[in-house]
Amino acid sequence: MRARVLYRRRGALAPDTVGRIRLRTLPTDIDLLGHMNNGRYASLFDLGRFDLLVRTGIWQAMSERGWYGVVASESVTFRKSLQLWQRFTVETRIIGHDDKAVYQMHRAVVRGEVYAEMVLRVRFLRRGGGIVPIEELFEALHRPDTLAPLPQWINDWAAGAALPSTRVPAPSVWP
């Protein structure tokens, strides 16, 4: 709701903007060890992703055209633990794209210090089937593609984390 109000009042943000939402670690976020459960980070980072998608106008463009985004891969690195009732900021940024996917980064930040970071590879799909080309996404936004080229480590990560296409078998065989 907040993101929609800001979008209407202030207009669309540039796709390379860092989105920020403030949160607090709640009792439902805590694991048996007394800190934020590793599984909750992805759910809370989703809030940052949706906030940024709405505020950049991407969400509206997707809705109008019957597109949707799916997370194809993600990787999270933990540095420090978030404790019960601790305030933190989820920072979200689109860091680039290749020909099939957009890459985003989320951070859990406390007073300017990174506690955890997640990298995501997101594909935009059509409800009727098929991938939305990146050029078509930027055309729908009525914006030029001003995102910086992907860092090489992101390309390496995406290639290393990839599973076979859904069109070929992928048996579960352990070495």
Side-chain angles (χ1 to χ4, degrees):
M1 294 287 284
R2 176 186 160 275
R4 287 183 183 185
V5 169
L6 289 171
Y7 176 75
R8 284 188 204 121
R9 285 186 185 166
R10 299 181 185 168
L13 298 175
D16 61 351
T17 298
V18 176
R20 291 179 174 84
I21 59 170
R22 294 201 35 116
L23 299 172
R24 182 187 298 267
T25 308
L26 300 175
T28 53
D29 301 327
I30 300 300
D31 65 13
L32 296 174
L33 299 176
H35 58 250
M36 171 100 73
N37 179 289
N38 63 306
R40 287 294 291 150
Y41 283 88
S43 295
L44 295 174
F45 287 163
D46 274 350
L47 298 175
R49 181 166 52 261
F50 288 119
D51 176 78
L52 189 63
L53 288 174
V54 169
R55 295 183 63 208
T56 56
I58 295 172
W59 185 263
Q60 291 79 346
M62 290 170 42
S63 296
E64 290 168 4
R65 290 161 180 80
W67 301 342
Y68 63 100
V70 294
V71 174
S73 53
E74 63 188 16
S75 179
V76 63
T77 304
F78 303 100
R79 189 172 162 270
K80 283 186 163 185
S81 296
L82 289 169
Q83 304 300 318
L84 182 61
W85 305 118
Q86 188 169 13
R87 289 180 187 251
F88 64 100
T89 302
V90 170
E91 295 182 348
T92 303
R93 183 164 184 244
I94 298 171
I95 54 176
H97 63 81
D98 58 23
D99 58 334
K100 293 182 182 174
V102 171
Y103 295 81
Q104 294 179 320
M105 186 171 287
H106 298 288
R107 292 178 176 165
V109 177
V110 177
R111 292 186 295 280
E113 185 177 6
V114 176
Y115 276 48
E117 183 174 83
M118 177 184 277
V119 178
L120 293 149
R121 182 173 180 259
V122 179
R123 297 179 91 176
F124 292 100
L125 306 176
R126 299 177 196 284
R127 294 225 182 268
I131 297 170
V132 176
I134 299 302
E135 300 78 27
E136 193 173 340
L137 175 65
F138 280 97
E139 185 179 305
L141 295 173
H142 308 292
R143 291 177 174 269
D145 176 2
T146 57
L147 295 172
L150 283 174
Q152 187 58 46
W153 74 268
I154 295 284
N155 289 315
D156 296 341
W157 167 78
L163 289 173
S165 163
T166 57
R167 295 184 179 104
V168 298
S172 178
V173 178
W174 295 93

mmCIF file of all heavy atoms in Angstrom, residues 8-57:
data_model
loop_
_atom_site.group_PDB
_atom_site.id
_atom_site.type_symbol
_atom_site.label_atom_id
_atom_site.label_comp_id
_atom_site.label_asym_id
_atom_site.label_seq_id
_atom_site.Cartn_x
_atom_site.Cartn_y
_atom_site.Cartn_z
ATOM 1 N N ARG A 8 2.139 6.883 -6.818
ATOM 2 C CA ARG A 8 1.154 7.854 -7.316
ATOM 3 C C ARG A 8 1.573 9.289 -7.020
ATOM 4 O O ARG A 8 1.377 10.179 -7.830
ATOM 5 C CB ARG A 8 -0.213 7.572 -6.711
ATOM 6 C CG ARG A 8 -0.893 6.379 -7.328
ATOM 7 C CD ARG A 8 -2.336 6.238 -6.843
ATOM 8 N NE ARG A 8 -2.735 4.863 -6.987
ATOM 9 C CZ ARG A 8 -3.141 4.083 -6.006
ATOM 10 N NH1 ARG A 8 -3.238 4.544 -4.785
ATOM 11 N NH2 ARG A 8 -3.468 2.834 -6.231
ATOM 12 N N ARG A 9 2.123 9.522 -5.829
ATOM 13 C CA ARG A 9 2.479 10.893 -5.436
ATOM 14 C C ARG A 9 3.756 11.395 -6.086
ATOM 15 O O ARG A 9 3.856 12.555 -6.459
ATOM 16 C CB ARG A 9 2.665 10.958 -3.915
ATOM 17 C CG ARG A 9 1.381 10.922 -3.149
ATOM 18 C CD ARG A 9 1.629 11.124 -1.683
ATOM 19 N NE ARG A 9 0.395 10.964 -0.931
ATOM 20 C CZ ARG A 9 0.348 10.822 0.362
ATOM 21 N NH1 ARG A 9 1.452 10.826 1.081
ATOM 22 N NH2 ARG A 9 -0.814 10.677 0.969
ATOM 23 N N ARG A 10 4.764 10.518 -6.187
ATOM 24 C CA ARG A 10 6.085 10.964 -6.626
ATOM 25 C C ARG A 10 6.484 10.491 -8.015
ATOM 26 O O ARG A 10 7.521 10.890 -8.531
ATOM 27 C CB ARG A 10 7.138 10.487 -5.620
ATOM 28 C CG ARG A 10 6.916 11.051 -4.239
ATOM 29 C CD ARG A 10 7.969 10.579 -3.289
ATOM 30 N NE ARG A 10 7.684 11.038 -1.934
ATOM 31 C CZ ARG A 10 8.299 10.590 -0.872
ATOM 32 N NH1 ARG A 10 9.242 9.685 -0.972
ATOM 33 N NH2 ARG A 10 7.986 11.058 0.316
ATOM 34 N N GLY A 11 5.691 9.592 -8.598
ATOM 35 C CA GLY A 11 6.045 9.049 -9.914
ATOM 36 C C GLY A 11 7.006 7.880 -9.786
ATOM 37 O O GLY A 11 7.421 7.499 -8.698
ATOM 38 N N ALA A 12 7.355 7.333 -10.932
ATOM 39 C CA ALA A 12 8.196 6.141 -10.978
ATOM 40 C C ALA A 12 9.651 6.470 -10.661
ATOM 41 O O ALA A 12 10.187 7.489 -11.099
ATOM 42 C CB ALA A 12 8.103 5.491 -12.349
ATOM 43 N N LEU A 13 10.278 5.586 -9.902
ATOM 44 C CA LEU A 13 11.704 5.678 -9.629
ATOM 45 C C LEU A 13 12.486 5.071 -10.786
ATOM 46 O O LEU A 13 11.971 4.214 -11.511
ATOM 47 C CB LEU A 13 12.051 4.904 -8.354
ATOM 48 C CG LEU A 13 11.416 5.369 -7.049
ATOM 49 C CD1 LEU A 13 11.777 4.397 -5.927
ATOM 50 C CD2 LEU A 13 11.860 6.776 -6.708
ATOM 51 N N ALA A 14 13.721 5.490 -10.950
ATOM 52 C CA ALA A 14 14.594 4.883 -11.961
ATOM 53 C C ALA A 14 14.858 3.428 -11.580
ATOM 54 O O ALA A 14 14.939 3.098 -10.390
ATOM 55 C CB ALA A 14 15.908 5.661 -12.043
ATOM 56 N N PRO A 15 14.989 2.528 -12.575
ATOM 57 C CA PRO A 15 15.204 1.113 -12.265
ATOM 58 C C PRO A 15 16.458 0.827 -11.442
ATOM 59 O O PRO A 15 16.529 -0.193 -10.773
ATOM 60 C CB PRO A 15 15.307 0.461 -13.649
ATOM 61 C CG PRO A 15 14.500 1.345 -14.528
ATOM 62 C CD PRO A 15 14.734 2.738 -13.994
ATOM 63 N N ASP A 16 17.447 1.719 -11.459
ATOM 64 C CA ASP A 16 18.665 1.459 -10.681
ATOM 65 C C ASP A 16 18.647 2.095 -9.288
ATOM 66 O O ASP A 16 19.649 2.124 -8.592
ATOM 67 C CB ASP A 16 19.907 1.919 -11.448
ATOM 68 C CG ASP A 16 19.906 3.408 -11.744
ATOM 69 O OD1 ASP A 16 18.873 4.079 -11.522
ATOM 70 O OD2 ASP A 16 20.940 3.905 -12.225
ATOM 71 N N THR A 17 17.477 2.552 -8.848
ATOM 72 C CA THR A 17 17.326 3.139 -7.517
ATOM 73 C C THR A 17 17.456 2.062 -6.443
ATOM 74 O O THR A 17 17.057 0.928 -6.643
ATOM 75 C CB THR A 17 15.925 3.793 -7.398
ATOM 76 O OG1 THR A 17 15.831 4.825 -8.364
ATOM 77 C CG2 THR A 17 15.683 4.362 -6.011
ATOM 78 N N VAL A 18 17.995 2.437 -5.293
ATOM 79 C CA VAL A 18 18.008 1.546 -4.134
ATOM 80 C C VAL A 18 16.730 1.808 -3.345
ATOM 81 O O VAL A 18 16.497 2.911 -2.867
ATOM 82 C CB VAL A 18 19.239 1.787 -3.228
ATOM 83 C CG1 VAL A 18 19.171 0.905 -1.981
ATOM 84 C CG2 VAL A 18 20.527 1.529 -3.996
ATOM 85 N N GLY A 19 15.883 0.774 -3.270
ATOM 86 C CA GLY A 19 14.658 0.871 -2.481
ATOM 87 C C GLY A 19 14.947 0.503 -1.033
ATOM 88 O O GLY A 19 15.781 -0.366 -0.766
ATOM 89 N N ARG A 20 14.261 1.164 -0.110
ATOM 90 C CA ARG A 20 14.482 0.889 1.316
ATOM 91 C C ARG A 20 13.146 0.799 2.045
ATOM 92 O O ARG A 20 12.291 1.660 1.854
ATOM 93 C CB ARG A 20 15.318 1.995 1.947
ATOM 94 C CG ARG A 20 16.747 2.017 1.469
ATOM 95 C CD ARG A 20 17.548 3.162 2.113
ATOM 96 N NE ARG A 20 18.936 3.080 1.760
ATOM 97 C CZ ARG A 20 19.469 3.571 0.631
ATOM 98 N NH1 ARG A 20 18.687 4.184 -0.243
ATOM 99 N NH2 ARG A 20 20.749 3.457 0.377
ATOM 100 N N ILE A 21 13.013 -0.251 2.856
ATOM 101 C CA ILE A 21 11.871 -0.351 3.759
ATOM 102 C C ILE A 21 12.406 -0.712 5.138
ATOM 103 O O ILE A 21 13.353 -1.474 5.268
ATOM 104 C CB ILE A 21 10.812 -1.382 3.283
ATOM 105 C CG1 ILE A 21 11.399 -2.774 3.158
ATOM 106 C CG2 ILE A 21 10.172 -0.951 1.986
ATOM 107 C CD1 ILE A 21 10.360 -3.848 2.931
ATOM 108 N N ARG A 22 11.798 -0.117 6.154
ATOM 109 C CA ARG A 22 12.230 -0.358 7.537
ATOM 110 C C ARG A 22 11.355 -1.441 8.154
ATOM 111 O O ARG A 22 10.140 -1.403 8.030
ATOM 112 C CB ARG A 22 12.153 0.927 8.335
ATOM 113 C CG ARG A 22 13.165 1.957 7.821
ATOM 114 C CD ARG A 22 13.503 3.017 8.811
ATOM 115 N NE ARG A 22 13.534 2.547 10.169
ATOM 116 C CZ ARG A 22 14.618 2.519 10.938
ATOM 117 N NH1 ARG A 22 15.759 2.901 10.453
ATOM 118 N NH2 ARG A 22 14.546 2.122 12.182
ATOM 119 N N LEU A 23 12.017 -2.371 8.816
ATOM 120 C CA LEU A 23 11.318 -3.477 9.461
ATOM 121 C C LEU A 23 11.887 -3.693 10.858
ATOM 122 O O LEU A 23 12.886 -3.096 11.239
ATOM 123 C CB LEU A 23 11.471 -4.767 8.635
ATOM 124 C CG LEU A 23 10.908 -4.740 7.217
ATOM 125 C CD1 LEU A 23 11.306 -5.997 6.471
ATOM 126 C CD2 LEU A 23 9.398 -4.591 7.243
ATOM 127 N N ARG A 24 11.237 -4.589 11.581
ATOM 128 C CA ARG A 24 11.697 -4.975 12.911
ATOM 129 C C ARG A 24 11.568 -6.492 13.008
ATOM 130 O O ARG A 24 10.597 -7.071 12.544
ATOM 131 C CB ARG A 24 10.844 -4.305 13.982
ATOM 132 C CG ARG A 24 11.279 -4.608 15.395
ATOM 133 C CD ARG A 24 10.304 -4.048 16.413
ATOM 134 N NE ARG A 24 10.186 -2.611 16.379
ATOM 135 C CZ ARG A 24 10.901 -1.777 17.148
ATOM 136 N NH1 ARG A 24 11.768 -2.246 18.000
ATOM 137 N NH2 ARG A 24 10.708 -0.486 17.066
ATOM 138 N N THR A 25 12.545 -7.135 13.610
ATOM 139 C CA THR A 25 12.505 -8.580 13.804
ATOM 140 C C THR A 25 11.436 -8.902 14.845
ATOM 141 O O THR A 25 11.490 -8.407 15.972
ATOM 142 C CB THR A 25 13.878 -9.101 14.275
ATOM 143 O OG1 THR A 25 14.881 -8.627 13.385
ATOM 144 C CG2 THR A 25 13.910 -10.611 14.289
ATOM 145 N N LEU A 26 10.476 -9.730 14.448
ATOM 146 C CA LEU A 26 9.336 -10.078 15.303
ATOM 147 C C LEU A 26 9.502 -11.484 15.888
ATOM 148 O O LEU A 26 10.306 -12.279 15.386
ATOM 149 C CB LEU A 26 8.044 -9.999 14.496
ATOM 150 C CG LEU A 26 7.732 -8.627 13.890
ATOM 151 C CD1 LEU A 26 6.495 -8.712 13.005
ATOM 152 C CD2 LEU A 26 7.568 -7.581 14.977
ATOM 153 N N PRO A 27 8.724 -11.811 16.918
ATOM 154 C CA PRO A 27 8.825 -13.160 17.494
ATOM 155 C C PRO A 27 8.606 -14.278 16.477
ATOM 156 O O PRO A 27 9.219 -15.339 16.583
ATOM 157 C CB PRO A 27 7.737 -13.171 18.571
ATOM 158 C CG PRO A 27 7.625 -11.741 18.987
ATOM 159 C CD PRO A 27 7.842 -10.949 17.710
ATOM 160 N N THR A 28 7.771 -14.039 15.462
ATOM 161 C CA THR A 28 7.537 -15.064 14.438
ATOM 162 C C THR A 28 8.723 -15.228 13.487
ATOM 163 O O THR A 28 8.742 -16.165 12.686
ATOM 164 C CB THR A 28 6.277 -14.725 13.624
ATOM 165 O OG1 THR A 28 6.401 -13.391 13.117
ATOM 166 C CG2 THR A 28 5.026 -14.853 14.479
ATOM 167 N N ASP A 29 9.712 -14.331 13.552
ATOM 168 C CA ASP A 29 10.901 -14.401 12.701
ATOM 169 C C ASP A 29 12.047 -15.170 13.363
ATOM 170 O O ASP A 29 13.047 -15.460 12.718
ATOM 171 C CB ASP A 29 11.425 -12.987 12.392
ATOM 172 C CG ASP A 29 10.420 -12.112 11.686
ATOM 173 O OD1 ASP A 29 9.616 -12.652 10.897
ATOM 174 O OD2 ASP A 29 10.436 -10.884 11.915
ATOM 175 N N ILE A 30 11.912 -15.451 14.652
ATOM 176 C CA ILE A 30 13.022 -15.972 15.458
ATOM 177 C C ILE A 30 13.055 -17.504 15.435
ATOM 178 O O ILE A 30 12.022 -18.162 15.496
ATOM 179 C CB ILE A 30 12.886 -15.463 16.918
ATOM 180 C CG1 ILE A 30 12.912 -13.934 16.940
ATOM 181 C CG2 ILE A 30 13.968 -16.033 17.819
ATOM 182 C CD1 ILE A 30 14.161 -13.309 16.378
ATOM 183 N N ASP A 31 14.263 -18.067 15.365
ATOM 184 C CA ASP A 31 14.404 -19.527 15.414
ATOM 185 C C ASP A 31 14.772 -19.980 16.832
ATOM 186 O O ASP A 31 14.789 -19.170 17.769
ATOM 187 C CB ASP A 31 15.426 -20.019 14.388
ATOM 188 C CG ASP A 31 16.852 -19.550 14.656
ATOM 189 O OD1 ASP A 31 17.139 -19.048 15.765
ATOM 190 O OD2 ASP A 31 17.680 -19.690 13.741
ATOM 191 N N LEU A 32 15.056 -21.255 16.991
ATOM 192 C CA LEU A 32 15.360 -21.812 18.314
ATOM 193 C C LEU A 32 16.634 -21.248 18.938
ATOM 194 O O LEU A 32 16.820 -21.337 20.149
ATOM 195 C CB LEU A 32 15.468 -23.343 18.223
ATOM 196 C CG LEU A 32 14.169 -24.051 17.838
ATOM 197 C CD1 LEU A 32 14.425 -25.539 17.627
ATOM 198 C CD2 LEU A 32 13.109 -23.818 18.894
ATOM 199 N N LEU A 33 17.491 -20.669 18.134
ATOM 200 C CA LEU A 33 18.736 -20.094 18.643
ATOM 201 C C LEU A 33 18.576 -18.626 19.051
ATOM 202 O O LEU A 33 19.526 -17.993 19.493
ATOM 203 C CB LEU A 33 19.849 -20.237 17.609
ATOM 204 C CG LEU A 33 20.186 -21.691 17.237
ATOM 205 C CD1 LEU A 33 21.223 -21.719 16.126
ATOM 206 C CD2 LEU A 33 20.664 -22.455 18.457
ATOM 207 N N GLY A 34 17.378 -18.080 18.879
ATOM 208 C CA GLY A 34 17.104 -16.722 19.343
ATOM 209 C C GLY A 34 17.440 -15.616 18.367
ATOM 210 O O GLY A 34 17.452 -14.453 18.745
ATOM 211 N N HIS A 35 17.736 -15.961 17.120
ATOM 212 C CA HIS A 35 17.962 -14.911 16.121
ATOM 213 C C HIS A 35 17.074 -15.173 14.900
ATOM 214 O O HIS A 35 16.372 -16.177 14.842
ATOM 215 C CB HIS A 35 19.439 -14.817 15.728
ATOM 216 C CG HIS A 35 20.019 -16.075 15.186
ATOM 217 N ND1 HIS A 35 20.947 -16.824 15.860
ATOM 218 C CD2 HIS A 35 19.790 -16.742 14.028
ATOM 219 C CE1 HIS A 35 21.282 -17.874 15.132
ATOM 220 N NE2 HIS A 35 20.594 -17.843 14.023
ATOM 221 N N MET A 36 17.087 -14.243 13.947
ATOM 222 C CA MET A 36 16.238 -14.360 12.770
ATOM 223 C C MET A 36 16.497 -15.688 12.074
ATOM 224 O O MET A 36 17.641 -16.031 11.782
ATOM 225 C CB MET A 36 16.493 -13.211 11.796
ATOM 226 C CG MET A 36 15.802 -13.366 10.462
ATOM 227 S SD MET A 36 14.297 -12.455 10.247
ATOM 228 C CE MET A 36 14.910 -10.817 10.092
ATOM 229 N N ASN A 37 15.426 -16.404 11.791
ATOM 230 C CA ASN A 37 15.492 -17.670 11.078
ATOM 231 C C ASN A 37 15.975 -17.418 9.648
ATOM 232 O O ASN A 37 15.508 -16.480 9.002
ATOM 233 C CB ASN A 37 14.098 -18.310 11.071
ATOM 234 C CG ASN A 37 14.069 -19.616 10.343
ATOM 235 O OD1 ASN A 37 14.179 -19.645 9.123
ATOM 236 N ND2 ASN A 37 13.916 -20.681 11.088
ATOM 237 N N ASN A 38 16.897 -18.255 9.180
ATOM 238 C CA ASN A 38 17.449 -18.034 7.836
ATOM 239 C C ASN A 38 16.367 -18.048 6.758
ATOM 240 O O ASN A 38 16.470 -17.339 5.761
ATOM 241 C CB ASN A 38 18.535 -19.058 7.518
ATOM 242 C CG ASN A 38 18.024 -20.478 7.492
ATOM 243 O OD1 ASN A 38 17.412 -20.933 8.452
ATOM 244 N ND2 ASN A 38 18.270 -21.179 6.414
ATOM 245 N N GLY A 39 15.297 -18.815 6.940
ATOM 246 C CA GLY A 39 14.219 -18.863 5.963
ATOM 247 C C GLY A 39 13.398 -17.588 5.903
ATOM 248 O O GLY A 39 12.774 -17.297 4.876
ATOM 249 N N ARG A 40 13.365 -16.824 6.967
ATOM 250 C CA ARG A 40 12.568 -15.583 6.996
ATOM 251 C C ARG A 40 13.193 -14.485 6.152
ATOM 252 O O ARG A 40 12.487 -13.590 5.679
ATOM 253 C CB ARG A 40 12.408 -15.087 8.440
ATOM 254 C CG ARG A 40 11.458 -15.908 9.247
ATOM 255 C CD ARG A 40 10.026 -15.823 8.747
ATOM 256 N NE ARG A 40 9.487 -14.504 8.991
ATOM 257 C CZ ARG A 40 8.562 -13.919 8.229
ATOM 258 N NH1 ARG A 40 8.064 -14.523 7.193
ATOM 259 N NH2 ARG A 40 8.124 -12.727 8.521
ATOM 260 N N TYR A 41 14.505 -14.516 5.967
ATOM 261 C CA TYR A 41 15.141 -13.467 5.171
ATOM 262 C C TYR A 41 14.518 -13.373 3.784
ATOM 263 O O TYR A 41 14.205 -12.282 3.310
ATOM 264 C CB TYR A 41 16.653 -13.710 5.058
ATOM 265 C CG TYR A 41 17.413 -13.332 6.287
ATOM 266 C CD1 TYR A 41 17.605 -14.242 7.318
ATOM 267 C CD2 TYR A 41 17.959 -12.059 6.433
ATOM 268 C CE1 TYR A 41 18.314 -13.903 8.455
ATOM 269 C CE2 TYR A 41 18.673 -11.699 7.571
ATOM 270 C CZ TYR A 41 18.844 -12.634 8.577
ATOM 271 O OH TYR A 41 19.544 -12.287 9.694
ATOM 272 N N ALA A 42 14.320 -14.513 3.124
ATOM 273 C CA ALA A 42 13.764 -14.494 1.770
ATOM 274 C C ALA A 42 12.363 -13.880 1.766
ATOM 275 O O ALA A 42 12.032 -13.090 0.876
ATOM 276 C CB ALA A 42 13.734 -15.903 1.189
ATOM 277 N N SER A 43 11.551 -14.238 2.751
ATOM 278 C CA SER A 43 10.194 -13.683 2.817
ATOM 279 C C SER A 43 10.215 -12.180 3.051
ATOM 280 O O SER A 43 9.444 -11.436 2.439
ATOM 281 C CB SER A 43 9.402 -14.360 3.935
ATOM 282 O OG SER A 43 9.210 -15.712 3.642
ATOM 283 N N LEU A 44 11.077 -11.716 3.927
ATOM 284 C CA LEU A 44 11.155 -10.279 4.202
ATOM 285 C C LEU A 44 11.792 -9.523 3.038
ATOM 286 O O LEU A 44 11.404 -8.393 2.737
ATOM 287 C CB LEU A 44 11.892 -10.031 5.512
ATOM 288 C CG LEU A 44 11.160 -10.586 6.742
ATOM 289 C CD1 LEU A 44 12.012 -10.444 7.995
ATOM 290 C CD2 LEU A 44 9.812 -9.917 6.932
ATOM 291 N N PHE A 45 12.753 -10.155 2.369
ATOM 292 C CA PHE A 45 13.333 -9.534 1.184
ATOM 293 C C PHE A 45 12.294 -9.425 0.062
ATOM 294 O O PHE A 45 12.357 -8.514 -0.756
ATOM 295 C CB PHE A 45 14.567 -10.295 0.710
ATOM 296 C CG PHE A 45 15.787 -10.117 1.590
ATOM 297 C CD1 PHE A 45 16.844 -11.000 1.497
ATOM 298 C CD2 PHE A 45 15.890 -9.081 2.507
ATOM 299 C CE1 PHE A 45 17.979 -10.848 2.282
ATOM 300 C CE2 PHE A 45 17.017 -8.917 3.311
ATOM 301 C CZ PHE A 45 18.063 -9.803 3.187
ATOM 302 N N ASP A 46 11.319 -10.356 0.024
ATOM 303 C CA ASP A 46 10.218 -10.245 -0.940
ATOM 304 C C ASP A 46 9.489 -8.913 -0.786
ATOM 305 O O ASP A 46 9.084 -8.299 -1.772
ATOM 306 C CB ASP A 46 9.198 -11.369 -0.739
ATOM 307 C CG ASP A 46 9.538 -12.642 -1.476
ATOM 308 O OD1 ASP A 46 10.466 -12.628 -2.307
ATOM 309 O OD2 ASP A 46 8.865 -13.658 -1.216
ATOM 310 N N LEU A 47 9.319 -8.464 0.453
ATOM 311 C CA LEU A 47 8.652 -7.176 0.681
ATOM 312 C C LEU A 47 9.433 -6.046 0.020
ATOM 313 O O LEU A 47 8.852 -5.140 -0.582
ATOM 314 C CB LEU A 47 8.508 -6.911 2.185
ATOM 315 C CG LEU A 47 7.662 -7.897 2.972
ATOM 316 C CD1 LEU A 47 7.723 -7.564 4.461
ATOM 317 C CD2 LEU A 47 6.234 -7.923 2.472
ATOM 318 N N GLY A 48 10.746 -6.097 0.125
ATOM 319 C CA GLY A 48 11.582 -5.097 -0.537
ATOM 320 C C GLY A 48 11.486 -5.175 -2.044
ATOM 321 O O GLY A 48 11.449 -4.151 -2.735
ATOM 322 N N ARG A 49 11.434 -6.399 -2.572
ATOM 323 C CA ARG A 49 11.332 -6.576 -4.016
ATOM 324 C C ARG A 49 10.018 -6.010 -4.541
ATOM 325 O O ARG A 49 9.996 -5.278 -5.523
ATOM 326 C CB ARG A 49 11.471 -8.057 -4.387
ATOM 327 C CG ARG A 49 11.401 -8.290 -5.877
ATOM 328 C CD ARG A 49 11.852 -9.664 -6.351
ATOM 329 N NE ARG A 49 11.230 -10.778 -5.672
ATOM 330 C CZ ARG A 49 11.800 -11.478 -4.670
ATOM 331 N NH1 ARG A 49 12.990 -11.147 -4.218
ATOM 332 N NH2 ARG A 49 11.181 -12.492 -4.123
ATOM 333 N N PHE A 50 8.903 -6.340 -3.873
ATOM 334 C CA PHE A 50 7.612 -5.832 -4.334
ATOM 335 C C PHE A 50 7.536 -4.313 -4.197
ATOM 336 O O PHE A 50 6.983 -3.632 -5.061
ATOM 337 C CB PHE A 50 6.460 -6.516 -3.612
ATOM 338 C CG PHE A 50 6.272 -7.935 -4.048
ATOM 339 C CD1 PHE A 50 6.404 -8.974 -3.148
ATOM 340 C CD2 PHE A 50 5.981 -8.238 -5.371
ATOM 341 C CE1 PHE A 50 6.243 -10.290 -3.561
ATOM 342 C CE2 PHE A 50 5.819 -9.552 -5.795
ATOM 343 C CZ PHE A 50 5.952 -10.579 -4.881
ATOM 344 N N ASP A 51 8.085 -3.765 -3.124
ATOM 345 C CA ASP A 51 8.128 -2.313 -2.954
ATOM 346 C C ASP A 51 8.851 -1.668 -4.134
ATOM 347 O O ASP A 51 8.348 -0.707 -4.732
ATOM 348 C CB ASP A 51 8.818 -1.964 -1.628
ATOM 349 C CG ASP A 51 8.968 -0.474 -1.436
ATOM 350 O OD1 ASP A 51 7.973 0.189 -1.066
ATOM 351 O OD2 ASP A 51 10.093 0.046 -1.657
ATOM 352 N N LEU A 52 10.009 -2.203 -4.491
ATOM 353 C CA LEU A 52 10.780 -1.614 -5.588
ATOM 354 C C LEU A 52 10.076 -1.817 -6.934
ATOM 355 O O LEU A 52 10.054 -0.900 -7.760
ATOM 356 C CB LEU A 52 12.197 -2.206 -5.632
ATOM 357 C CG LEU A 52 13.154 -1.512 -6.598
ATOM 358 C CD1 LEU A 52 13.397 -0.060 -6.182
ATOM 359 C CD2 LEU A 52 14.471 -2.261 -6.680
ATOM 360 N N LEU A 53 9.490 -2.993 -7.157
ATOM 361 C CA LEU A 53 8.777 -3.223 -8.417
ATOM 362 C C LEU A 53 7.617 -2.244 -8.586
ATOM 363 O O LEU A 53 7.408 -1.708 -9.680
ATOM 364 C CB LEU A 53 8.267 -4.666 -8.489
ATOM 365 C CG LEU A 53 9.316 -5.745 -8.702
ATOM 366 C CD1 LEU A 53 8.678 -7.120 -8.600
ATOM 367 C CD2 LEU A 53 10.036 -5.579 -10.023
ATOM 368 N N VAL A 54 6.884 -1.989 -7.517
ATOM 369 C CA VAL A 54 5.769 -1.038 -7.589
ATOM 370 C C VAL A 54 6.297 0.377 -7.820
ATOM 371 O O VAL A 54 5.821 1.099 -8.704
ATOM 372 C CB VAL A 54 4.906 -1.098 -6.308
ATOM 373 C CG1 VAL A 54 3.922 0.065 -6.248
ATOM 374 C CG2 VAL A 54 4.157 -2.425 -6.246
ATOM 375 N N ARG A 55 7.303 0.777 -7.070
ATOM 376 C CA ARG A 55 7.776 2.164 -7.127
ATOM 377 C C ARG A 55 8.529 2.504 -8.405
ATOM 378 O O ARG A 55 8.640 3.675 -8.774
ATOM 379 C CB ARG A 55 8.603 2.473 -5.888
ATOM 380 C CG ARG A 55 7.696 2.400 -4.642
ATOM 381 C CD ARG A 55 8.374 2.745 -3.369
ATOM 382 N NE ARG A 55 8.811 4.122 -3.410
ATOM 383 C CZ ARG A 55 9.858 4.569 -2.727
ATOM 384 N NH1 ARG A 55 10.551 3.756 -1.961
ATOM 385 N NH2 ARG A 55 10.198 5.821 -2.790
ATOM 386 N N THR A 56 9.044 1.494 -9.120
ATOM 387 C CA THR A 56 9.689 1.751 -10.411
ATOM 388 C C THR A 56 8.695 1.689 -11.569
ATOM 389 O O THR A 56 9.043 2.023 -12.697
ATOM 390 C CB THR A 56 10.810 0.728 -10.686
ATOM 391 O OG1 THR A 56 10.264 -0.581 -10.620
ATOM 392 C CG2 THR A 56 11.971 0.893 -9.717
ATOM 393 N N GLY A 57 7.469 1.231 -11.302
ATOM 394 C CA GLY A 57 6.472 1.092 -12.347
ATOM 395 C C GLY A 57 6.497 -0.262 -13.027
ATOM 396 O O GLY A 57 5.662 -0.556 -13.887
#
